[in-house]
């Protein structure tokens, strides 16, 4: 069997960074399957040297491919509730060819070194792109419906999308999941409390917590616009996460997305409950979208301090200028320069793979894995700059 051997200035294997002081050679098959990582004295001859950092392919754990045509439709800085209203009411605006827009977005992700995506679908429309993509897609078919009596009907519609997606993509690659605490009723949460993997938009704004605590604040505007009568709803007196998480007893893995308004006590509560139930929590951060929608950043220091498993997501082109994990890391570095590059790369590779049930194939340079091999060039020390580039070698 023919092996390729390659050495960069640095190598991140998904867990650890190796540099010039303790270099490693990556040995892999033409197929991209990893054979070994060895010190130079053990690697033999025929090593190709390249400039830059070698690392496994990036995992984008939160995207909405089907919204790609909405690039640039919603202005920046609307705030969360206004953004939601605009997404719902302007979903048909933007590029007229939705499939082409999704195809270009898929290509953009591939060219930026993304190899696998956790993608939200409300419709079946993105299926042809996913089915023909170079990327691995794990599809979360989202269910929404805040009026309890509508739960069955909403579930029925989503099951149709689930059926269509899973027939083509495989049942293990698709899950039915709740959209967000402010859009999912208790009966719907109960119906979606099943074993396996789930994903939910969580604490995207403080207004979400306020609505759960007191039935006041910005979200009333959303329900008003939707013409929704809230007589059935009694506030819980607790933050959204502390309310809904106890309802989701069965999932093995929960991917919490955004977490902009998660407080220390929310994180403690969630970690404690997850430990009791042997559930794995992943905290997906989408800083580009948080900046776009509400000029804010997630409380990263808290998540790091409490040892949360962090992953990265781009969200959609309706709320971001690009679908690039490198750009998300660059933005985080601008706001949190203290975070080591290797730690961030771990979120973008190993943690992301684990969140999507891909921990045995993606996210690490380990024997038998096929994680994609990226060459990141133009770093300035640990810093990602405007001219930093990613090239997928395999
Ligand atoms: Zn989203």
């Amino acid at each position: 069997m023919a092996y390729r051997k390659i050495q960069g200035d640095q190598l991140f294997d998904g867990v650890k960074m190796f540099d010039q002081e303790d270099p490693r050679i990556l040995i892999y098959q033409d197929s991209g399957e990893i054979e070994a990582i060895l010190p130079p004295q053990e690697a033999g001859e025929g090593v190709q040297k390249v400039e830059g950092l070698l690392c496994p392919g990036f995992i984008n754990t939160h995207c909405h491919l089907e919204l790609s045509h909405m690039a640039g439709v919603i202005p920046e800085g609307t705030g969360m509730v206004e953004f939601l209203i605009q997404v719902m009411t302007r979903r048909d605006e933007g590029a007229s060819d939705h499939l082409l827009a999704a195809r270009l977005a898929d290509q953009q992700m591939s060219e930026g070194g993304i190899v696998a995506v956790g993608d939200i679908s409300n419709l079946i429309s993105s299926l042809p792109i996913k089915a023909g993509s170079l990327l691995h897609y794990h599809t979360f078919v989202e269910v929404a419906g805040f009026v309890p009596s509508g739960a069955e009907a909403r579930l029925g519609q989503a099951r149709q999308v689930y059926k269509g997606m899973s027939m083509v993509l495989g049942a293990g690659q698709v899950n039915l999941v709740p959209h967000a605490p402010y859009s999912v009723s208790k009966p719907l949460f109960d119906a979606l409390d099943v074993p396996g993997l789930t994903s939910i938009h969580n604490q995207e704004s403080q207004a979400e917590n306020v609505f759960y605590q007191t039935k006041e604040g910005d979200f009333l505007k959303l329900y008003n616009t939707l013409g929704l009568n809230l007589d059935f709803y009694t506030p819980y007196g607790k933050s959204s996460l502390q309310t809904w998480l106890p309802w989701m007893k069965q999932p093995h893995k929960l991917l919490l997305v955004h977490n902009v308004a998660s407080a220390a006590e929310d994180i403690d509560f969630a970690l404690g409950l997850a430990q009791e139930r042997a559930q794995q929590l992943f905290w997906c951060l989408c800083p580009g979208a948080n900046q776009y929608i509400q000029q804010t950043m997630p409380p990263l220091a808290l998540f790091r301090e409490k040892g949360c498993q962090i992953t990265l997501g781009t969200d959609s082109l309706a709320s971001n200028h690009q679908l690039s994990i490198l750009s998300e890391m660059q933005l985080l570095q601008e706001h949190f320069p203290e975070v080591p590059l290797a730690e961030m790369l771990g979120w973008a590779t190993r943690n992301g793979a684990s969140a999507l049930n891909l921990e045995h194939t993606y996210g690490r340079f380990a024997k038998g894995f096929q994680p994609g091999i990226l060459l990141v060039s133009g770093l300035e020390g640990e810093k990602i700059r405007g001219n930093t580039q990613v090239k997928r070698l395999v």
Side-chain angles (χ1 to χ4, degrees):
M1 191 162 311
Y3 292 117
R4 292 172 185 261
K5 302 177 185 177
I6 191 168
Q7 179 179 11
D9 303 317
Q10 289 174 293
L11 180 144
F12 177 73
D13 69 356
V15 181
K16 188 172 182 275
M17 186 78 89
F18 296 93
D19 58 16
Q20 309 275 29
E21 308 238 305
D22 182 22
R24 286 293 182 276
I25 314 289
L26 180 65
I27 303 178
Y28 61 98
Q29 298 174 15
D30 285 342
S31 64
E33 187 175 323
I34 305 299
E35 183 59 26
I37 305 168
L38 297 173
Q41 61 274 19
E42 294 173 31
E45 294 185 345
V47 175
Q48 180 197 358
K49 294 211 175 182
V50 291
E51 276 179 34
L53 176 149
L54 294 168
C55 80
F58 296 144
I59 316 291
N60 178 5
T61 55
H62 186 74
C63 185
H64 302 243
L65 193 64
E66 68 187 22
L67 296 181
S68 300
H69 64 280
M70 289 188 77
V73 168
I74 303 174
E76 289 185 63
T78 56
M80 196 60 220
V81 167
E82 181 57 29
F83 178 81
L84 289 168
I85 291 171
Q86 294 212 25
V87 170
M88 285 187 260
T89 54
R90 305 179 67 185
R91 222 181 140 114
D92 289 331
E93 293 182 34
S96 55
D97 191 337
H98 293 192
L99 263 192
L100 177 62
R103 179 168 290 122
L104 293 175
D106 173 80
Q107 264 171 27
Q108 187 188 113
M109 285 197 273
S110 181
E111 283 161 12
I114 292 170
V115 294
V117 185
D119 190 62
I120 303 289
S121 291
N122 303 106
L123 311 166
I124 195 94
S125 61
S126 60
L127 179 59
I129 307 303
K130 292 183 188 182
S133 175
L134 292 171
L135 309 183
H136 175 93
Y137 278 93
H138 190 103
T139 299
F140 297 110
V141 174
E142 214 168 51
V143 196
F146 197 59
V147 181
S149 58
E152 263 315 306
R154 293 304 188 100
L155 213 49
Q157 289 162 7
R159 281 195 181 118
Q160 290 301 317
V161 178
Y162 172 86
K163 226 178 182 178
M165 286 282 187
S166 52
M167 258 165 52
V168 177
L169 302 172
Q173 309 309 324
V174 189
N175 291 91
L176 272 181
V177 303
H179 166 250
Y182 55 80
S183 65
V184 174
S185 64
K186 174 72 167 58
L188 209 41
F189 264 111
D190 290 342
L192 294 168
D193 180 22
V194 293
L197 177 58
T198 201
S199 165
I200 179 170
H201 293 82
N202 178 62
Q203 296 179 307
E204 288 173 89
S205 64
Q206 191 49 36
E208 179 182 313
N209 288 324
V210 170
F211 181 71
Y212 261 70
Q213 277 151 347
T214 62
K215 198 183 176 178
E216 288 166 355
D218 245 17
F219 268 91
L220 296 180
K221 189 180 157 199
L222 174 73
Y223 303 121
N224 199 23
T225 306
L226 296 174
L228 208 138
N229 181 338
L230 285 177
D231 286 351
F232 66 86
Y233 176 76
T234 315
Y236 295 94
K238 289 184 283 192
S239 73
S240 63
L241 180 61
Q242 294 196 40
T243 307
W244 70 261
L245 188 61
W247 301 338
M248 295 300 272
K249 303 176 196 78
Q250 298 199 55
H252 303 122
K253 293 183 179 180
L254 289 112
L255 183 59
L256 313 179
V257 182
H258 288 298
N259 316 304
V260 166
S262 300
E265 52 272 28
D266 293 323
I267 300 171
D268 288 338
F269 173 85
L271 292 176
L273 191 60
Q275 196 181 13
E276 251 172 56
R277 294 170 163 178
Q279 291 176 316
Q280 262 187 291
L281 293 184
F282 296 90
W283 305 77
C284 173
L285 309 183
C286 306
N290 304 149
Q291 281 288 299
Y292 191 104
I293 296 170
Q294 46 194 343
Q295 278 137 18
T296 186
M297 293 296 278
L300 183 61
L302 270 183
F303 296 122
R304 292 181 69 221
E305 184 192 310
K306 299 196 176 288
C308 295
Q309 294 202 75
I310 297 170
T311 71
L312 300 178
T314 60
D315 216 343
S316 76
L317 285 174
S319 62
N320 208 336
H321 297 290
Q322 66 278 310
L323 303 180
S324 160
I325 290 296
L326 189 75
S327 300
E328 300 298 324
M329 290 194 287
Q330 187 180 4
L331 185 58
L332 284 176
Q333 275 191 340
E334 283 165 18
H335 289 80
F336 308 97
E338 69 280 9
V339 183
L341 180 63
E343 185 179 335
M344 223 176 259
L345 287 170
W347 307 340
T349 57
R350 183 187 74 251
N351 284 7
S354 183
L356 300 183
N357 274 345
L358 300 172
E359 63 270 35
H360 301 300
T361 330
Y362 287 85
R364 286 178 56 200
F365 288 152
K367 187 172 166 60
F369 280 51
Q370 258 184 305
I373 300 170
L374 307 184
L375 177 64
V376 182
S377 56
L379 288 167
E380 197 182 304
E382 296 237 325
K383 295 291 169 213
I384 298 163
R385 297 296 185 210
N387 61 351
T388 304
Q389 287 189 343
V390 180
K391 189 175 159 201
R392 185 166 174 185
L393 302 180
V394 182

